[in-house]
Amino acid sequence: MLKRKEFILGAAAGLTLAAAATAGGVINWPGAHAEPQAVNRITPVPANGDSFTPPPGAPNSFATIFEQVAPAVVQIDVTVKVDQPQGGAFTIPGLPFQFVPPQGRGGQGDEPQTTQGAGSGFFISQDGFIVTNNHVVADATEIKVKMSDGRELPARLIGRDPGTDLAVIKVEGNDFKYVSFEETAQPRVGDWVIAIGNPFGLGGTATAGIVSAKARDIDPSGYNDYIQIDAAINRGNSGGPTFDIYGRVIGVNSAIYSPTGGSVGIGFAIPAETAKNVTTRLMQGQTIERGYVGVGIQDIPPGTVGALALPADTKGAYVGEVTPDGPAQRAGVQVGDIVVQVNGRNIDGSTELRRMVAATEAGQTVRFTVIRDGRRQEINIRAAKRPSDEELNAATGGDDPQKTPQGPVANTTVEGMKVAPVNAATRRQYNLPADIQGVVVTETVPGSKAAQLGIPAGVVILRANNQILSGPADLERAIAAARSAGRPGVLLLVRTPQGNRSVVLELPKN
């Protein structure tokens, strides 16, 4: 489970430090007895009197780096307003866990409920500008900064960018110790890194590791090519800096991948180049705006090349949705188009397309090269300003197509799926909008290819091999045509609660 918002909320869960004890026994420590040494065991040869000399390339210690940069790293405490249901436990929208407000916190009756949160940040200027994550301060009604020397200062929000999960706050004063972003020296996989922050509210904690990977695309709706590190990052490290062994900021800690909520050695940092660009603009009072064309896209699903008889080396993004009256629809983009180039540049997938469009200013023209019905064509789109996440989420609607059926439906079995036409009856049963056309899946046969794809009841199949469906017969004809043409599968465009998606239904060989 990816936990992007790993900062502390509410009272930290009790932290117990346990020590093992023995009674009446002998402890056998590992290495207490002479054992044959493995071939990768390095015997230290002290050259300077030290009891241990690390192998070439490893630092003796990170202490000097920590002492130099730690004064610039701060703990950020926030007060967050929440809605508290009966029973005391409550959640904050977007966070993957529940918590109970600490005793004595929050009001009674109809009074607003609040809880405390904590994250990390760091000074990037002498006059008090601090970088942190957007999710640390986004809903805060009060922000306080605790410095390494014990001082606590009130802070105010300067600006934030949900798209990159970055924010800038400021404290009054001058002569603060600060650090700067490293934009020119790119970290390599295997390079040492040090993360400093406020895990679990402990404050001033340093962890070390290496760069595990680069350009991780863990947030399809975001604009970061994350650096993956194995230095321990836990809740509360959000917004803290990642340093290299020269004390240069190479990233901003933002996310962890964990089934438990704690560090398992997979953490992610926003690259310094991105953080520098965004935070500089926020410090100047600018609002981060991105281009928008109004398409729902995804990577080309495996099997699409064969299903549509496309060239084997086809790469790009599949258009699964086109926003009504949006820039793309007005320019002529259609559902089923495969975008292979943007402004004449080949793209590998949907992430690259999304970021290239985002870098386009409102009013500028962005040129899509698409494959439609096996032929290439170019479409010029006048980009608009990207709406806020709240506006986009509201536009997608919140209906649930998997509503429990209320009566029998006339089904047709097609390739392991029981499907029915979208009509007045199925619209009521599955809570489908009036403008949806296609066939609705009412059941999948266990063990079938459709069941293996995970297509649940209530999903609407809108197209088959880019042909619009008006009923089960259309689906049967599309599948028969693909089979007679010797194609290995059929590309289905399906409607889900998360938006339109395309999948390839593999056709059994006769």
Side-chain angles (χ1 to χ4, degrees), residues 230-480:
D230 71 352
I233 299 177
N234 286 287
R235 293 179 177 177
N237 275 110
S238 282
T242 304
F243 295 100
D244 63 11
I245 59 172
Y246 301 102
R248 303 177 298 196
V249 179
I250 62 166
V252 181
N253 302 323
S254 183
I256 58 175
Y257 182 87
S258 172
T260 64
S263 174
V264 294
I266 302 177
F268 301 95
I270 302 165
E273 183 179 6
T274 299
K276 169 70 173 178
N277 177 270
V278 171
T279 56
T280 297
R281 294 168 64 185
L282 293 176
M283 289 169 63
Q284 296 171 349
Q286 298 180 26
T287 300
I288 307 301
E289 296 183 353
R290 296 182 172 88
Y292 171 79
V293 297
V295 292
I297 55 174
Q298 67 177 100
D299 290 341
I300 300 175
T304 300
V305 169
L308 298 182
L310 299 173
D313 59 351
T314 301
K315 294 181 179 180
Y318 179 85
V319 177
E321 293 180 85
V322 179
T323 303
D325 200 35
Q329 188 188 63
R330 292 195 294 268
V333 176
Q334 297 180 9
V335 171
D337 285 347
I338 295 177
V339 184
V340 294
Q341 289 184 339
V342 178
N343 294 334
R345 172 179 156 185
N346 293 336
I347 60 170
D348 289 330
S350 59
T351 297
E352 191 173 6
L353 185 151
R354 183 182 301 108
R355 291 175 182 168
M356 291 179 71
V357 170
T360 304
E361 295 182 6
Q364 289 185 338
T365 297
V366 56
R367 186 173 75 257
F368 280 11
T369 302
V370 306
I371 297 178
R372 181 187 301 169
D373 298 328
R375 295 185 297 273
R376 287 195 174 212
Q377 66 181 82
E378 293 189 350
I379 303 174
N380 292 317
I381 310 168
R382 185 178 177 85
K385 174 186 172 183
R386 185 180 187 275
S388 67
D389 289 340
E390 292 77 9
E391 292 171 323
L392 290 174
N393 290 336
T396 59
D399 57 290
D400 182 2
Q402 299 186 55
K403 187 176 180 181
T404 303
Q406 299 175 347
V409 174
N411 294 305
T412 301
T413 301
V414 181
E415 293 296 330
M417 299 178 289
K418 291 185 178 180
V419 297
V422 174
N423 52 30
T426 52
R427 289 186 201 281
R428 286 193 301 270
Q429 275 190 336
Y430 296 102
N431 197 26
L432 303 176
D435 60 345
I436 290 295
Q437 293 184 352
V439 296
V440 61
V441 177
T442 61
E443 186 181 346
T444 53
V445 178
S448 67
K449 295 294 185 182
Q452 293 172 15
L453 285 174
I455 299 177
V459 163
V460 177
I461 303 176
L462 306 171
R463 297 180 178 223
N465 276 354
N466 284 335
Q467 300 300 310
I468 297 175
L469 305 180
S470 59
D474 291 340
L475 177 60
E476 290 178 310
R477 280 192 290 270
I479 291 174

Side-chain angles (χ1 to χ4, degrees), residues 31-321:
H33 305 284
E35 299 286 350
Q37 290 190 353
V39 295
N40 64 338
R41 185 76 176 269
I42 299 174
T43 302
V45 182
N48 54 2
D50 290 342
S51 60
F52 174 76
T53 298
N60 286 296
S61 170
F62 298 106
T64 301
I65 301 171
F66 179 80
E67 290 171 357
Q68 179 177 337
V69 301
V73 183
V74 301
Q75 175 177 325
I76 299 175
D77 296 323
V78 299
T79 300
V80 182
K81 196 178 293 185
V82 295
D83 294 325
Q84 182 178 11
Q86 295 297 319
F90 56 96
T91 61
I92 290 188
L95 296 185
F97 53 90
Q98 283 193 328
F99 58 94
V100 178
Q103 187 174 359
R105 300 269 176 94
Q108 301 293 326
D110 295 330
E111 295 180 19
Q113 303 294 304
T114 62
T115 191
Q116 306 302 305
S120 304
F122 54 99
F123 284 102
I124 55 170
S125 73
Q126 185 177 358
D127 56 348
F129 285 97
I130 296 171
V131 171
T132 187
N133 280 145
N134 171 68
H135 71 255
V136 172
V137 297
D139 299 314
T141 58
E142 183 181 16
I143 306 172
K144 291 183 179 179
V145 169
K146 183 180 293 184
M147 300 176 59
S148 61
D149 59 10
R151 284 184 292 166
E152 292 190 21
L153 301 173
R156 58 187 175 91
L157 179 65
I158 297 299
R160 59 191 187 90
D161 177 33
T164 55
D165 193 27
L166 290 166
V168 173
I169 62 175
K170 190 178 187 305
V171 296
E172 296 304 319
N174 212 323
D175 203 27
F176 293 106
K177 294 186 181 298
Y178 67 95
V179 292
S180 58
F181 290 108
E182 175 54 50
E183 300 176 85
T184 57
Q186 295 296 320
R188 302 168 301 167
V189 173
D191 281 347
W192 287 104
V193 291
I194 309 155
I196 301 179
N198 174 43
F200 299 111
L202 294 173
T205 299
T207 56
I210 63 169
V211 174
S212 301
K214 296 178 65 177
R216 288 298 199 201
D217 181 21
I218 62 171
D219 183 4
S221 63
Y223 303 96
N224 294 318
D225 280 326
Y226 288 90
I227 302 170
Q228 181 183 329
I229 63 175
D230 71 352
I233 299 177
N234 286 287
R235 293 179 177 177
N237 275 110
S238 282
T242 304
F243 295 100
D244 63 11
I245 59 172
Y246 301 102
R248 303 177 298 196
V249 179
I250 62 166
V252 181
N253 302 323
S254 183
I256 58 175
Y257 182 87
S258 172
T260 64
S263 174
V264 294
I266 302 177
F268 301 95
I270 302 165
E273 183 179 6
T274 299
K276 169 70 173 178
N277 177 270
V278 171
T279 56
T280 297
R281 294 168 64 185
L282 293 176
M283 289 169 63
Q284 296 171 349
Q286 298 180 26
T287 300
I288 307 301
E289 296 183 353
R290 296 182 172 88
Y292 171 79
V293 297
V295 292
I297 55 174
Q298 67 177 100
D299 290 341
I300 300 175
T304 300
V305 169
L308 298 182
L310 299 173
D313 59 351
T314 301
K315 294 181 179 180
Y318 179 85
V319 177
E321 293 180 85

